[in-house]
Amino acid sequence: MSLKVAVLGGGYFARFQHEAWARLPGVDLVGIADLDPARAEAACAAHGGRAFGDPARMLHETSPDILDIAIPPEGHADAIRMGLAAGARLIVCQKPFASDLATAEALTAEAEAAGIPLVIHENFRWQPWFRVMRQAIADDRIGAVQNITFRLRTGDGQGRDAYLDRQPYFQTMPRLLIHETGVHYFDTFRFLMGQDPTHIYADLRRMNPAIAGEDAGHVLFDYPGQARAMLDGNRLLDHASDNTRRTFGEALIEGNDGSLSLDGSGRVILRAFGQATAETLLEARDWPGFAGDCVYALQEHLVQALEGNSDFENIARDYLGVLRMEVAAYRSAQDGCKLAL
């Protein structure tokens, strides 16, 4: 029997979720709701399901097993509470999770009290290159990790028309680089390291005067055992790739016994310490969907976990740690100091 999935949201990114649900085996996309009925109709025409302009009506008429919330943060609280009241077996919420940390903490507690899993749709850790890198670390291919660096270079942030062709609201967001994009790597670093950082230092700046928020900066994380991770982000600059939104940048993970590198093609290379030659762990290829088909990989995991075949990754209680890192990053940048987490 198929799991019934209903999606709340028909915007730019929600289309990747619609498409992934539509091709997942064992899943029936029963409804898509959007306050703009035309968007819902267009999404259903492309991917199936019934279109709704009223999310409450969608929940009542479809009784989904999974409610996937793909709307802006200011709508998350009402949507999650609707899903809890409707008795969904699983609620998935888009990041950034809720409008502030206090609201996210309250929603987490309410979902736990109802006994309904609430998972944050954080898909970057599901990009295939990061899964391959994490497996190589777990297999002790590079020894103890000392440094992780990710150079975020989307190349879409220059000029007065920056972001207008895809996500125009980026221009008016008071917090951009960290709140919208950086949290992906905060979570990815903890996935790669297998633990949370102990301290954070952030140096953030706005390079494009046409936008409201920060679009460049460096964030440094301290980990136990003297390991460090750094997000070096600049949305105005690009990297060597035919599609800068495939990997969004380049990564280097260095350990005592070797290093792992990611280039803009999605290729992962392992080089042993002291060696000039390297081994390819993941070949470059064309991936369907978004960023290595990470949305599909995440949603496949959700189905498997709901059926009892694995534990959920990024359950809301765990993801609160990423939100606390975000709060600390902005405070560090404002105060110009390293903060304990």
Side-chain angles (χ1 to χ4, degrees):
M1 184 176 179
S2 295
L3 290 169
K4 295 190 294 182
V5 177
V7 181
L8 175 52
Y12 166 76
F13 196 84
R15 63 185 174 133
F16 296 110
Q17 287 155 254
H18 304 154
E19 187 275 335
W21 287 126
R23 62 184 164 98
L24 259 172
V27 167
D28 183 11
L29 180 60
V30 295
I32 298 172
D34 194 277
L35 296 180
D36 180 349
R39 288 207 304 191
E41 291 282 359
C44 288
H47 305 296
R50 295 172 56 195
F52 295 88
D54 179 358
R57 183 183 168 201
M58 178 179 71
L59 289 171
H60 176 71
E61 296 189 10
T62 64
S63 301
D65 297 294
I66 301 173
L67 172 62
D68 189 1
I69 298 167
I71 60 175
E74 55 268 21
H76 288 175
D78 287 344
I80 289 170
R81 287 168 178 145
M82 273 195 285
L84 294 175
R89 293 176 57 196
L90 168 66
I91 298 174
V92 187
C93 183
Q94 187 63 271
K95 58 82 19 208
F97 175 28
S99 54
D100 55 69
L101 178 58
T103 302
E105 290 173 333
L107 293 169
T108 298
E110 290 173 36
E112 290 173 343
I116 296 174
L118 172 59
V119 176
I120 308 308
H121 185 108
E122 177 51 83
N123 52 59
F124 274 45
R125 64 161 61 197
W126 289 95
Q127 292 172 3
W129 31 89
F130 291 132
R131 304 307 280 197
V132 166
M133 290 173 130
R134 176 63 190 132
Q135 189 61 53
I137 294 170
D139 291 342
D140 200 30
R141 299 292 306 275
I142 63 169
V145 175
Q146 292 191 15
N147 294 292
I148 297 178
T149 303
F150 188 84
R151 297 175 65 252
L152 176 74
R153 298 289 189 268
T154 55
D156 58 354
Q158 295 192 24
R160 295 181 58 83
D161 294 333
Y163 317 115
L164 293 181
D165 62 339
R166 188 184 69 251
Q167 291 161 294
Y169 57 90
F170 278 16
Q171 284 212 350
T172 58
M173 291 177 68
R175 299 175 299 163
L176 178 62
L177 181 70
I178 301 306
H179 180 65
E180 201 290 324
T181 312
V183 290
H184 287 306
Y185 297 100
F186 291 11
D187 179 69
T188 299
F189 288 164
R190 74 200 305 227
F191 167 68
L192 292 170
M193 292 295 296
Q195 59 184 332
D196 285 327
T198 60
H199 295 77
I200 187 171
Y201 173 76
D203 174 17
L204 308 177
R205 57 197 186 275
R206 184 182 64 158
M207 303 294 291
N208 186 346
I211 72 168
E214 83 286 356
D215 52 7
H218 295 77
V219 184
L220 179 67
F221 293 96
D222 295 2
Y223 287 87
Q226 302 299 315
R228 298 290 186 266
M230 183 174 69
L231 172 62
D232 170 5
N234 189 316
R235 295 198 66 118
L236 284 75
L237 306 180
D238 70 353
H239 64 286
S241 178
D242 61 317
N243 175 10
T244 58
R245 289 177 61 77
R246 179 185 295 112
T247 64
F248 292 83
E250 301 166 340
L252 179 63
I253 305 178
E254 299 167 286
N256 292 338
D257 299 330
S259 64
L260 298 161
S261 58
L262 166 70
D263 65 23
S265 73
R267 180 184 295 107
V268 175
I269 300 293
L270 183 152
R271 186 185 63 81
F273 183 83
Q275 299 298 311
T277 58
E279 174 187 353
T280 299
L281 300 186
L282 182 67
E283 295 282 1
R285 53 166 284 194
D286 290 329
W287 297 86
F290 170 77
D293 212 15
C294 60
V295 174
Y296 183 94
L298 166 58
Q299 292 175 187
E300 182 181 45
H301 156 72
L302 295 174
V303 170
Q304 292 173 349
L306 188 59
E307 293 177 339
N309 298 321
S310 66
D311 294 330
F312 288 108
E313 291 190 28
N314 276 336
I315 201 81
R317 174 64 62 187
D318 185 52
Y319 196 76
L320 292 176
V322 175
L323 300 186
R324 295 187 181 107
M325 292 179 210
E326 177 192 341
V327 171
Y330 283 110
R331 182 181 163 198
S332 171
Q334 176 180 312
D335 296 346
C337 62
K338 179 185 286 189
L339 299 178
L341 291 167

